[in-house]
Amino acid sequence: MNRIEKINKNVELQNDKSNYMIAVKTGVSYYEDIELGIYYDKARNGFSKYGYLGLYKDKSIVAIGKILNIIEFNNMTGVPYYNSVYSDFAITEEEKKKINMSVEKANKLRGWNLEQENHYYYIVEKFVKTDFRKESDGALWGRKKFNLTKELDLNFNESLPDIEVIAKLLEDKKW
C-alpha cells in the first residue's frame, strides 16, 4: 500500500461512524427501552448513522446497544408505514413487532399516541448496562456523540470488542 492509499484508508476509518456512539436522554420509557431493545424519538429531531446507542439518565450513560436498524414509523393514515433509514436490509417482522409493542406500551402506560407523528425507532441487538459517568456540571443537553475508538484508547484500525466488553470498559471512564 503506497502513502496515498494509507492516507485514504486512514481518512476512511476516521470518517466511519460505525465506531461512534450517540448518547440520548431516556426517561420514563427507560424500562421499556431496555426490555424491548428499542429507543424512539420524534423524526423531526433527525438521526445519525452511528454504530452504537447510549441511554443517558442521572448524569450517566447507563446502557449501551449496537444499532441494528433505524426505522421510521407512523400510522397516520390508518395503514402502518415502516421505512428503514439506517440500512439496506429489509425490515423484519421481529422489528415491526418491537415497534408495535413500544407504541402500545407508550399509549397504555402514558397515554402517548406515537402513531400520529413520525418517529424513528432505533433497534439494538440488546442493551447492556454500564455506568459511563458525566463529570461536568449540568445534565446532557440534546445528544452527544462519542468516538468509542478514542474513548477506549484503541487504534483506528482496531475493531471494537463485544458490547459487553465495551460496557465494562466504559465504567472506568468519565466524560
Side-chain angles (χ1 to χ4, degrees):
M1 186 181 297
N2 67 34
R3 183 172 187 273
I4 298 296
E5 289 172 329
K6 286 181 184 176
I7 291 170
N8 287 341
K9 184 66 175 169
N10 194 27
V11 168
E12 178 184 318
L13 290 170
Q14 289 178 15
N15 288 331
D16 179 9
K17 302 298 184 217
S18 64
N19 285 354
Y20 279 72
M21 171 180 67
I22 187 73
V24 295
K25 294 183 286 184
T26 185
V28 294
S29 67
Y30 170 75
Y31 293 105
E32 293 102 69
D33 297 342
I34 297 294
E35 174 192 348
L36 298 173
I38 196 169
Y39 171 83
Y40 54 86
D41 194 12
K42 292 179 180 178
R44 66 177 177 228
N45 293 333
F47 75 95
S48 297
K49 293 185 177 187
Y50 296 116
Y52 297 85
L53 182 71
L55 298 179
Y56 171 90
K57 72 179 208 165
D58 301 327
K59 299 256 317 160
S60 180
I61 294 171
V62 295
I64 182 174
K66 179 150 182 55
I67 298 173
L68 301 176
N69 208 349
I70 302 173
I71 299 168
E72 179 183 11
F73 171 77
N74 75 60
N75 193 12
M76 293 183 281
T77 64
V79 177
Y81 170 78
Y82 301 90
N83 178 41
S84 175
V85 296
Y86 184 72
S87 68
D88 294 331
F89 302 125
I91 299 168
T92 68
E93 289 305 313
E94 181 65 26
E95 290 171 335
K96 288 180 182 180
K97 182 179 174 184
K98 283 184 177 193
I99 291 170
N100 292 333
M101 288 173 59
S102 181
V103 167
E104 183 179 309
K105 283 181 179 265
N107 190 4
K108 186 176 185 178
L109 297 173
R110 288 176 288 288
W112 296 350
N113 191 350
L114 301 178
E115 295 178 298
Q116 296 306 307
E117 184 176 354
N118 278 344
H119 281 77
Y120 289 130
Y121 290 81
Y122 294 73
I123 310 290
V124 299
E125 185 174 16
K126 64 182 173 182
F127 281 113
V128 178
K129 293 186 180 184
T130 189
D131 187 15
F132 185 29
R133 286 240 155 256
K134 182 178 186 297
E135 289 184 305
S136 60
D137 291 338
L140 175 69
W141 282 66
R143 302 172 183 175
K144 180 166 178 58
K145 71 177 179 178
F146 295 88
N147 180 335
L148 292 175
T149 301
K150 287 182 180 178
E151 295 295 331
L152 302 175
D153 300 318
L154 301 172
N155 292 321
F156 281 117
N157 57 354
E158 283 185 76
S159 298
L160 288 177
D162 291 337
I163 191 73
E164 289 83 3
V165 175
I166 294 171
K168 185 70 178 154
L169 291 172
L170 288 174
E171 289 180 352
D172 296 330
K173 308 282 183 181
K174 305 281 186 236
W175 57 285

